[in-house]
């Protein structure tokens, strides 16, 4: 166990080190940083590394097995009304304590935090039920997503502009480090019952739409004239002792958040264990140890991200906007976005599951590179919006149109992975670093924070839908060239090779026939 933990921590070092180096370089050049703030950041980076290591091991030992076991059991039951109620309750309760959502709700002015949280949680609960029903009824994911996003953009015509960015942001932040591993495993368990590997992905994609629609409905009911932005306050840190005090004061908050976030999952699992699963002592001990690792990892990670990274993100955005040409925010934002997505804990969960489900046909590195490119582009677009005050609608409409159009050109498994990855990429690092970065730059340039800065999470959630499906096109064309098949046969061939990694020339010939 210690050897595996060491490997996980080394993986975390390779993920966090690039963004740490970039921030240090900026602090010595374009954005001179007070020593106290720099100490906050460095301590935060250490906690991020330790947290990612513990979380990654804990998710493998507990979150994934629990979700898969419960998904299998629920999927085999014929009591649809009871199952739907259980799925709604799971989605609702797990989302309420999702740390990313807590961060976003705290930054949305005029609307009480609990109103945002309950609205979003209800959206996730309803759409988790919808995802389950889709799998039970065998409805294609492409058709489901097409209908849902058509409804989103139809409703968006009537929603006040102040709520649009917040609505799309909420769809990204709800799928964070607590929710993603469990919901993905839940979907995998359901897919195993149906015997359809394509359904291993897509549950997160559908659950990401629910909060968007829920917050849009809230926007129709709320008086948008009351919306006003309260500037972010960077804590005063003059000494290393002050920095340590900031972490010590923040620790109880994240202990409580993670405890409340994991509690419903653990309770649900224990009930299922007592009523139906009846797992042996050894797997139960393994899951218990994994829950402990997950708890420690998330507490360390969220403390480091919120206390160490959030103030630095805002400071860098504000200082760079003041000290450098405004256009320079775009390439710098792209570099930051490219590297920071590797520090999202849920990204590693997705990458591993993709490689396992496809038996290595789609390697982690390919998905990781596509995600990094997508997030880099999204932050560049976000900085362009901050600089030129371009409405987010100008990017969301064509972006989702391209993503939805690509669904019918690429193998279906790439579509499912892509739409899952949008929610996975927009995790705590986006909410605690990239969003404050955009807010600081917007504040320094005299823009409207609600209209120009909010929407970063939405952009991060959108661009991977395109880049990963483009990766699917690349796989499709490359395979077609090596197997000498026609364009119509390409998607079938890719799906078969992913499902059957020991694909032979004879099977390829059969597919061509």
């Amino acid at each position: 166990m210690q050897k595996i933990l060491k490997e996980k921590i080394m993986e975390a070092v390779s993920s966090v080190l690039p963004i740490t180096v970039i921030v240090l370089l900026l602090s010595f050049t374009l954005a001179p940083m007070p020593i106290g703030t720099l100490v906050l950041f460095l301590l935060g980076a250490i906690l991020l590394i330790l947290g990612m290591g513990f979380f990654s091991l804990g998710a493998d030992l507990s979150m994934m097995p629990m979700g898969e076991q419960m998904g299998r059991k629920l999927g085999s039951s014929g009591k649809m009304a009871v199952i739907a109620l259980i799925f709604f309750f799971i989605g609702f309760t797990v989302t309420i304590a999702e740390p990313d959502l807590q961060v976003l709700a705290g930054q949305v002015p005029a609307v009480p935090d609990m109103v945002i949280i309950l609205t979003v949680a209800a959206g996730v609960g309803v759409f988790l039920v919808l995802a389950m029903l889709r799998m039970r009824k065998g409805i294609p994911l492409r058709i489901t997503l097409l209908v849902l996003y058509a409804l989103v953009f139809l409703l968006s015509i009537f929603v006040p502009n102040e709520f649009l960015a917040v609505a799309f942001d909420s769809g990204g932040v709800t799928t964070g480090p607590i929710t993603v591993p469990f919901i993905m495993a839940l979907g995998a368990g359901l897919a195993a019952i149906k015997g359809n590997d394509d359904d291993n992905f897509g549950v997160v994609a559908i659950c990401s739409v629910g909060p968007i629609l829920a917050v849009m409905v809230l926007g129709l009911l709320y008086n948008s004239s009351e919306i006003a932005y309260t500037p972010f306050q960077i804590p005063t840190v003059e000494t290393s002792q002050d920095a340590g005090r900031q972490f010590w004061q923040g620790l109880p908050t994240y202990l409580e958040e993670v405890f409340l976030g994991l509690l419903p999952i653990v309770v649900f699992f224990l009930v299922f264990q007592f009523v139906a699963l009846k797992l042996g002592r050894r797997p139960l001990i393994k899951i218990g140890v994994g829950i402990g690792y997950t708890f420690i990892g998330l507490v360390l990670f969220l403390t480091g991200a919120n206390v160490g990274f959030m103030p630095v993100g805002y400071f860098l955005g504000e200082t760079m906007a003041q000290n450098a040409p405004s256009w320079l925010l775009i390439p710098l934002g792209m570099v930051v976005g490219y590297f920071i997505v590797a520090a999202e804990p849920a990204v590693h969960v997705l990458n591993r599951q993709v490689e396992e489900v496809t038996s290595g046909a789609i390697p982690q590195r390919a998905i990781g590179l596509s995600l990094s490119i997508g997030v880099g582009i999204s932050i560049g677009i976000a900085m362009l919006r901050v600089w030129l005050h371009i409405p987010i609608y100008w990017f969301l409409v064509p972006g989702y149109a391209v993503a939805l159009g690509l669904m019918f050109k690429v193998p279906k498994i790439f579509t499912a992975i892509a739409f899952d990855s949008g929610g996975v990429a927009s995790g705590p690092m986006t909410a605690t670093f990239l969003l404050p970065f955009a807010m600081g730059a917007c504040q320094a340039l005299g823009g409207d924070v609600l209209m120009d800065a909010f929407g970063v999470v939405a952009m991060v959630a959108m661009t991977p839908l395109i880049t990963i499906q483009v990766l699917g096109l690349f796989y499709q064309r490359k395979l077609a060239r090596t197997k000498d098949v026609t364009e119509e046969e390409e998607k079938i061939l890719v799906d078969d090779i992913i499902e059957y990694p020991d694909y032979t020339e004879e099977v390829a010939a059969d597919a061509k026939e």
Side-chain angles (χ1 to χ4, degrees):
M1 193 76 73
Q2 290 181 348
K3 182 180 179 181
I4 299 175
L5 178 60
K6 183 178 178 180
E7 291 174 357
K8 299 291 187 182
I9 290 176
M10 293 309 297
E11 288 178 7
V13 169
S14 64
S15 298
V16 176
L17 187 60
I19 189 62
T20 305
V21 171
I22 290 170
V23 171
L24 287 174
L25 288 174
L26 290 174
S27 70
F28 290 123
T29 53
L30 298 175
M33 193 179 297
I35 293 297
T37 306
L38 185 59
V39 171
L40 269 184
F41 173 77
L42 293 175
L43 288 176
I46 293 172
L47 291 181
L48 248 65
I49 290 170
L50 294 174
M52 284 181 64
F54 277 97
F55 169 80
S56 183
L57 178 58
D60 288 348
L61 293 176
S62 62
M63 302 293 281
M64 303 297 285
M66 284 194 299
E68 188 167 350
Q69 291 284 353
M70 292 173 65
R72 286 174 180 269
K73 203 65 184 180
L74 288 169
S76 61
S77 174
K79 300 177 180 178
M80 292 297 294
V82 175
I83 297 172
L85 185 61
I86 292 173
F87 268 73
F88 174 81
F89 196 60
I90 289 175
F92 184 85
T93 53
V94 171
T95 304
I96 282 180
E98 179 60 59
D100 301 358
L101 179 58
Q102 303 280 342
V103 173
L104 181 71
Q107 296 180 26
V108 177
V111 182
D113 291 5
M114 191 51 64
V115 173
I116 290 283
I117 291 170
L118 292 177
T119 300
V120 169
V124 174
V126 170
F127 276 70
L128 183 57
V129 174
L130 180 64
M132 180 271 295
L133 292 174
R134 180 198 74 82
M135 294 173 70
R136 291 287 292 255
K137 301 297 182 182
I139 302 172
L141 179 64
R142 293 168 176 169
I143 301 302
T144 306
L145 291 174
L146 193 63
V147 171
L148 290 179
Y149 278 104
L151 181 60
V152 164
F153 284 102
L154 179 64
L155 187 59
S156 69
I157 298 172
F158 308 100
V159 176
N161 290 333
E162 293 84 354
F163 270 91
L164 270 181
V166 175
F168 279 95
D169 278 357
S170 67
V173 300
T174 51
T175 46
I178 291 179
T179 310
V180 164
F182 185 73
I183 287 184
M184 286 185 67
L186 202 64
L190 288 170
I193 294 297
K194 297 292 291 183
N196 186 358
D197 285 342
D198 293 326
D199 284 336
N200 276 284
F201 306 98
V203 177
V204 174
I206 293 175
C207 288
S208 297
V209 182
I212 300 175
L213 288 170
V215 175
M216 282 184 174
V217 172
L218 178 66
L220 293 174
L221 301 175
Y222 228 87
N223 185 358
S224 62
S225 63
E226 297 175 0
I227 300 296
Y229 171 68
T230 303
F232 181 85
Q233 296 294 324
I234 298 177
T236 302
V237 180
E238 296 180 353
T239 66
S240 57
Q241 189 176 39
D242 292 338
R245 189 178 297 113
Q246 290 288 328
F247 285 99
W248 185 251
Q249 291 173 350
L251 185 61
T253 300
Y254 306 111
L255 281 168
E256 180 182 0
E257 284 186 5
V258 175
F259 176 79
L260 293 176
L262 292 177
L263 182 62
I265 296 176
V266 175
V267 169
F268 278 125
F269 176 74
L270 290 176
V271 170
F272 268 79
Q273 164 64 16
F274 180 76
V275 173
L277 294 178
K278 311 293 185 181
L279 297 178
R281 181 180 177 183
R282 188 178 182 85
L284 279 180
I285 292 174
K286 186 177 179 181
I287 288 174
V289 172
I291 291 171
Y293 279 128
T294 303
F295 179 81
I296 293 170
L298 281 176
V299 170
L300 293 175
F301 183 90
L302 293 173
T303 304
N306 284 275
V307 179
F309 274 60
M310 186 181 288
V312 172
Y314 187 91
F315 177 86
L316 285 177
E318 183 180 44
T319 307
M320 287 167 55
Q322 292 171 343
N323 296 346
S326 299
W327 62 266
L328 194 58
L329 287 169
I330 299 171
L332 288 174
M334 293 180 72
V335 172
V336 170
Y338 181 90
F339 287 106
I340 204 166
V341 69
E344 291 285 6
V347 165
H348 296 272
V349 175
L350 174 70
N351 289 349
R352 282 196 303 275
Q353 183 161 349
V354 169
E355 190 166 68
E356 289 172 6
V357 168
T358 64
S359 300
I362 307 177
Q364 293 188 39
R365 185 176 179 182
I367 297 295
L369 179 61
S370 299
L371 280 173
S372 293
I373 293 172
V375 175
I377 293 171
S378 68
I379 303 305
I381 294 173
M383 292 300 103
L384 180 66
R385 288 186 57 235
V386 168
W387 176 31
L388 300 179
H389 315 296
I390 303 173
I392 192 172
Y393 223 60
W394 288 23
F395 296 103
L396 289 180
V397 172
Y400 274 100
V402 170
L404 293 171
L406 283 171
M407 291 194 306
F408 300 96
K409 296 291 185 181
V410 304
K412 51 190 174 182
I413 192 167
F414 279 96
T415 294
I417 294 170
F419 278 82
D420 272 1
S421 70
V424 169
S426 50
M429 293 307 297
T430 303
T432 61
F433 189 84
L434 295 178
L435 179 56
F437 182 81
M439 291 165 66
C442 187
Q443 191 77 9
L445 295 174
D448 186 327
V449 172
L450 281 173
M451 300 288 287
D452 300 332
F454 276 86
V456 169
V457 182
M459 296 305 304
V460 170
M462 181 192 74
T463 47
L465 312 186
I466 299 173
T467 56
I468 288 185
Q469 289 192 97
V470 169
L471 174 67
L473 284 176
F474 171 77
Y475 262 70
Q476 186 174 300
R477 298 297 165 84
K478 182 178 179 181
L479 195 58
R481 287 197 300 270
T482 59
K483 300 295 183 183
D484 189 27
V485 298
T486 65
E487 194 169 317
E488 291 75 15
E489 298 158 340
E490 290 174 358
K491 293 196 287 292
I492 299 173
L493 185 56
V494 174
D495 285 331
D496 284 343
I497 283 188
I498 289 169
E499 187 172 356
Y500 309 106
D502 297 328
Y503 206 86
T504 63
E505 293 295 333
E506 289 79 14
V507 179
D510 292 341
K512 187 175 180 180
E513 291 174 3

